[in-house]
């Protein structure tokens, strides 16, 4: 009897130790965080659903959220409970096996803060009995995991939203008869990303600080009409910050544009050797005139950081500088925008950065979340961090020192990249809506593949110069307009994580936005704007299964197991920015 008690005590202590040990090799049936695990690989070891039986997937449950709006959230599943953030930052908790709604949180948005970048939220974090969510009105909120009651609410920007562009500044040049184009977004400050919890802190960054002016198409059912960048002092600088998970108090903050040295070295090439069309002498001459440009510098943090717990390093991508596309009022390299950045996860101290596009004029935000894996370079294992760029390349780095290991073969077509705008318009791709946008990738280390959701969507890049009018000075601005000529499509690409070589591609009708899920059994799940959730064979990209839905599947799918049954679940709500039908559903499938 005494031996049995000792054994039970030992098992309990061992279980607690394993649960708190970094990199513990414990297979969880939950989906406990944004990327599925600390590596953000979005790859599950659950193998009940296989290529041989995936055609037996049927709907297990479906929940109507009651909100028709762009839906981008990753559902989080902990202890059989699913928590999902809805557009406009409402939250629902559900029984993950049945879809039964357990509680709802209704977000009261601050009325003096206009949305900068739409209503979408990309998810929550769950830890220590709390649900953490960043909001579109730039607050960080903690809810009780069991009840949804608010535990604390912190204003992360203190109301400093930056300077918004106004369509009236364009003097009617970007309008179409019979009416004006509606403004669907402008620079501001909000939070789209799902937070991460690490070392007792909740880590989150702000977005929208270099968003530019987004104009809707004259057709209300069509995608975005144009993105406009206006020379001048618009936006503000971004940041990544850590807040105490018990109180919400600020612990550290890293500004994505420094107040000293933001101009950089005035480089003429990207770090990987691509020549940039810069007039360095002119930029240096303009520097004194724009010495305060860093205050408006941009550098949004669009996606959830990945954290290497063994080495205490945090990795995240930064957005384009501000003003969007228009570089005449921000000379220099505009550090640390359009970069992959590594910080000390405990202090926020900069460790290294890699600026994919210095002095970015094309909206090439580092938007897709970073992913951690082990690369084998010439047979030598190297701890790596990878990121799928809007440029159309997958970049892999030594995650300890930032050394570029390789830049992959392009996963989308490339044409006129890094070309300057012209008055008649230059067609480029990928552009502001190309490559891999915020969609997270999936990494299957066993098969040595990364799966990337890509967008081929040519844009017309145009320069506009307006003369003085009604006592107002002349104005210089640039615009990128996605082309509706039937040339756009989507590509799901498998790339070898050791070499950067393409292994296979699967083409779909529309540009892909949402993300990827892979399984140990050899399946790759993703969705389409036309409403399909589909599964591919991981070996060759062959489509094995699909389920049709009544709105775009433009959020990442997740997998979890409850009571021995594996589920695939996804938010179904489309995306207005890309013209995909909006909806109001969270749906799950399981084997019949």
């Amino acid at each position: 009897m005494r031996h049995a008690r000792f054994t039970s005590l030992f098992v309990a202590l061992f279980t607690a130790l394993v649960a708190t040990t970094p990199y513990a090799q414990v297979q969880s049936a939950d989906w406990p965080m944004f990327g599925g695990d600390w590596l953000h690989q979005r790859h599950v070891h659950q193998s009940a659903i296989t290529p041989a039986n995936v055609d037996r997937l049927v709907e297990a449950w479906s929940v109507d959220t009651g909100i028709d709006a762009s839906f981008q959230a990753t559902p989080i599943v902990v202890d059989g409970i699913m928590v999902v953030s809805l557009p406009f930052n409402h939250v629902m908790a559900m029984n993950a096996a049945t879809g039964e709604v357990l509680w709802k949180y209704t977000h009261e948005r601050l009325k003096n803060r206009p949305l900068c970048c739409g209503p979408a939220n990309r998810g929550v974090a769950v830890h220590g009995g709390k649900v953490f969510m960043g909001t579109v009105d730039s607050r960080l909120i903690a809810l009780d995991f069991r009840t949804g009651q608010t535990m604390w609410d912190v204003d992360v920007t203190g109301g400093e939203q930056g300077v918004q562009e106004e369509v009236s500044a364009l003097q009617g040049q970007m309008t179409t008869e019979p009416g004006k184009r509606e403004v669907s977004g402008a620079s501001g400050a909000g939070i789209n990303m799902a937070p991460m919890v690490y070392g007792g802190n909740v880590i989150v960054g702000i977005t929208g600080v270099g968003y530019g002016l987004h104009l809707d198409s004259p057709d209300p059912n069509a995608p975005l009409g144009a993105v406009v960048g206006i020379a001048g002092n618009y936006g503000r600088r971004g940041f990544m910050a850590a807040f105490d998970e018990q109180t919400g108090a600020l612990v550290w903050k890293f500004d994505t544009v420094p107040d000293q040295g933001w101009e950089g070295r005035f480089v003429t090439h990207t770090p990987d050797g691509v020549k940039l069309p810069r007039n360095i002498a002119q930029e240096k001459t303009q520097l004194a005139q724009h010495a305060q440009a860093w205050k408006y510098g941009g550098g949004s943090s669009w996606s959830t950081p990945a954290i290497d717990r063994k080495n205490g390093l945090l990795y995240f991508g930064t957005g384009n500088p501000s003003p969007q596309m228009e570089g005449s009022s921000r000379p220099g390299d505009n550090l640390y925008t359009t970069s992959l950045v590594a910080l000390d996860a405990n202090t926020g101290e900069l460790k290294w950065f890699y600026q994919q596009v210095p002095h970015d004029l094309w909206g090439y935000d580092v938007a897709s979340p970073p992913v951690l894996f082990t690369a084998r370079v010439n047979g030598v294992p190297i701890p790596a961090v990878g990121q799928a760029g809007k440029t159309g390349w997958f970049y892999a780095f030594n995650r300890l020192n930032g050394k570029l290991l390789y830049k992959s073969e392009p996963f989308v077509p490339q044409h006129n990249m890094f070309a300057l705008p012209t008055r008649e318009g230059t067609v480029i791709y990928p552009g502001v809506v190309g490559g891999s946008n915020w969609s997270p990738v999936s990494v299957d280390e066993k098969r040595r593949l990364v799966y990337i959701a890509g967008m081929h969507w040519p844009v017309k890049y145009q320069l506009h110069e307006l003369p003085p009018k009604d006592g107002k000075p002349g104005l210089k601005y640039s615009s990128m307009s996605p082309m509706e000529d039937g040339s756009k499509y989507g590509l799901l690409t498998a790339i070898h994580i050791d070499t950067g070589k393409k292994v296979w591609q699967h083409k779909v009708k529309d540009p892909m936005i949402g993300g990827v899920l892979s399984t140990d059994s050899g399946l790759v799940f993703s969705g389409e704007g036309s409403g399909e959730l589909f599964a591919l064979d991981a070996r060759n990209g062959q489509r094995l299964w699909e389920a049709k839905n009544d709105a775009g599947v433009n959020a990442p799918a997740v997998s979890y197991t409850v009571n021995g049954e594996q589920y695939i679940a996804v938010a179904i709500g489309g995306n207005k920015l890309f013209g995909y039908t909006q909806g109001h559903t969270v749906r799950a499938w399981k084997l019949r």
Side-chain angles (χ1 to χ4, degrees), residues 305-319:
I307 299 176
D308 178 341
R309 294 186 295 168
K310 180 179 178 181
N311 297 293
L313 294 173
L314 176 150
Y315 307 90
F316 73 103
T318 60

Side-chain angles (χ1 to χ4, degrees), residues 6 17 55 113 117 152 226 357 379 386 406 410 412 443 467 483 525 531 535 542 564 575:
F6 177 81
L17 177 64
D55 60 347
R113 295 189 186 175
C117 330
W152 51 257
V357 185
Y406 62 78
V412 293
V443 167
M483 299 183 69
F525 289 89
Q542 178 185 351
N575 193 297

